[in-house]
Amino acid sequence: MSGTVRGFRCRLCPRRCNVPRDGPAGEDAQLGLCGMGRELRIARAALHFWEEPPISGTRGSGAVFFTGCGLRCRFCQNYEISRGEKPGRAVTPGELSGIFFSLIEQGAHNINLVSPSHFVPGIRAALLRQKLPVPVVYNSSGYERPETLRALEGLADIYLPDFKYMDKRLAEGLSGAEDYPEAAAAAIGEMVRQVGEPVYDKDGMMVRGVLIRHLILPGHTKNSIAVLEAVAQAFPGIPVSLMAQYTPWGQAKEEGGIPGYPELSRGVTRREMEKVEDALFELGLDGFVQSREAKGAAYIPEFE
């Protein structure tokens, strides 16, 4: 992978699979649990208008979607690229830097790195080539190692992590990551240490800080409320973006759905949404509540 050192074995995410990431490319490549080898690969780079208002603004966020993922949720809304079914395009750090500036020329409010964890060395090399005139958004699953995030200190301005699970059994069943609650809490703690609470410009655009996302899963409101309680206790002052637009995708979309999780074959009900939303307000958390209507294939980007 361009931007790494020779002999690099991957321990970037909590999986710590130790796979060589500087070996051959193509059919002979050794792949990590993220499904990626040494090449830095992107699946889409375009203006994106479906993030939170202080991220998308009026001109859109300059979203760069990276191929592969270390978490690999069975219901992933970007399943085609997180599982490598659409491998995207290999780029060098120099080419990636050029893509950043192209998006900025198109009017992007920021550069939004989507699922970047397994490519941090290459991304860091791209960001160091030339300072960007807009904020850099690190948009991830929350399944991170603080040690990896420290490599981005001073380079990432905004952290946009998910906090998916407090229920370990649910995390194991849907993402194969029983350690997710502890890993996400430690990662978000490092993000808050680096950039703190949100800071906004005169137009209401976020220029620095952490914003935590949580996607409500149908049939699992107890997990959602436990996540909100954990955020309120550990990260006071950090806003939450509560999302109810779950769409059955990935294995949840397939015939028969996810074994053992039939509830994931439907959307979130109004009653489920209101139950979690009430908890958000009762806990005094600031943030956003995204509509249940903003769901379906129309809201899932096309990847090439």
Side-chain angles (χ1 to χ4, degrees), residues 133-191:
V134 299
V136 174
V137 181
Y138 189 90
N139 181 345
S140 85
S141 69
Y143 195 55
E144 308 274 356
R145 293 188 69 202
E147 295 86 347
T148 300
L149 294 172
R150 288 182 196 123
L152 293 168
E153 187 161 5
L155 297 175
D157 304 288
I158 298 168
Y159 282 103
L160 195 60
D162 289 341
F163 199 150
K164 296 179 183 290
Y165 311 108
M166 278 301 290
D167 184 329
K168 290 188 173 187
R169 288 194 298 175
L170 192 63
E172 176 62 27
L174 296 179
S175 301
E178 185 181 21
D179 63 336
Y180 182 94
E182 296 89 352
I188 294 171
E190 172 61 21
M191 296 173 186

Side-chain angles (χ1 to χ4, degrees), residues 42-52 55-65 98-114 134-135 139 205 298-303:
I42 62 171
R44 176 182 170 88
L47 295 179
H48 192 62
F49 295 88
W50 302 331
E51 308 287 28
E52 290 75 9
I55 301 295
S56 288
T58 57
R59 303 194 305 270
S61 178
V64 180
F65 290 81
I99 289 168
F100 294 161
F101 279 94
S102 175
L103 290 169
I104 293 167
E105 289 174 2
Q106 294 173 48
H109 288 287
N110 46 59
I111 293 300
N112 186 353
L113 309 171
V114 184
V134 299
N139 181 345
M205 295 300 298
Y299 290 88
I300 295 175
E302 294 184 6
F303 301 106

Side-chain angles (χ1 to χ4, degrees), residues 41-292:
R41 303 192 74 88
I42 62 171
R44 176 182 170 88
L47 295 179
H48 192 62
F49 295 88
W50 302 331
E51 308 287 28
E52 290 75 9
I55 301 295
S56 288
T58 57
R59 303 194 305 270
S61 178
V64 180
F65 290 81
F66 292 91
T67 310
C69 178
L71 190 56
R72 298 165 71 86
C73 301
R74 298 168 75 177
F75 57 86
C76 181
Q77 310 293 278
N78 297 335
Y79 195 83
E80 292 174 321
I81 64 168
S82 66
R83 295 298 178 115
E85 292 179 7
K86 289 190 174 181
R89 177 165 70 94
V91 295
T92 65
E95 290 169 333
L96 183 59
S97 176
I99 289 168
F100 294 161
F101 279 94
S102 175
L103 290 169
I104 293 167
E105 289 174 2
Q106 294 173 48
H109 288 287
N110 46 59
I111 293 300
N112 186 353
L113 309 171
V114 184
S115 299
S117 314
H118 49 297
F119 289 132
V120 162
I123 291 169
R124 184 176 188 276
L127 292 173
L128 287 172
R129 291 181 69 90
Q130 187 175 353
K131 184 173 176 56
L132 302 185
V134 299
V136 174
V137 181
Y138 189 90
N139 181 345
S140 85
S141 69
Y143 195 55
E144 308 274 356
R145 293 188 69 202
E147 295 86 347
T148 300
L149 294 172
R150 288 182 196 123
L152 293 168
E153 187 161 5
L155 297 175
D157 304 288
I158 298 168
Y159 282 103
L160 195 60
D162 289 341
F163 199 150
K164 296 179 183 290
Y165 311 108
M166 278 301 290
D167 184 329
K168 290 188 173 187
R169 288 194 298 175
L170 192 63
E172 176 62 27
L174 296 179
S175 301
E178 185 181 21
D179 63 336
Y180 182 94
E182 296 89 352
I188 294 171
E190 172 61 21
M191 296 173 186
V192 172
R193 184 194 69 79
Q194 287 187 25
V195 298
E197 297 180 18
V199 176
Y200 303 92
D201 67 13
K202 61 181 178 59
D203 298 316
M205 295 300 298
M206 195 168 171
V207 295
R208 185 175 175 84
V210 177
L211 171 60
I212 299 172
R213 285 174 162 172
H214 176 71
L215 176 65
I216 302 169
L217 297 176
H220 295 284
T221 56
K222 287 184 179 180
N223 174 67
S224 293
I225 293 170
V227 167
L228 297 180
E229 290 173 342
V231 171
Q233 181 175 1
F235 308 114
I238 301 299
V240 173
S241 177
L242 188 61
M243 302 181 293
Q245 66 268 42
Y246 170 85
T247 299
W249 212 254
Q251 288 181 302
K253 182 184 177 184
E254 297 171 1
E255 185 177 354
I258 301 174
Y261 298 92
E263 70 279 6
L264 295 185
S265 296
R266 64 169 174 85
V268 172
T269 67
R270 181 175 297 278
R271 182 180 178 184
E272 288 172 329
M273 173 64 199
E274 290 176 349
K275 184 176 181 180
V276 180
E277 186 177 330
D278 286 347
L280 178 81
F281 297 144
E282 289 171 5
L283 289 164
L285 290 168
D286 191 12
F288 305 87
V289 177
Q290 299 192 30
S291 171
R292 291 189 311 125

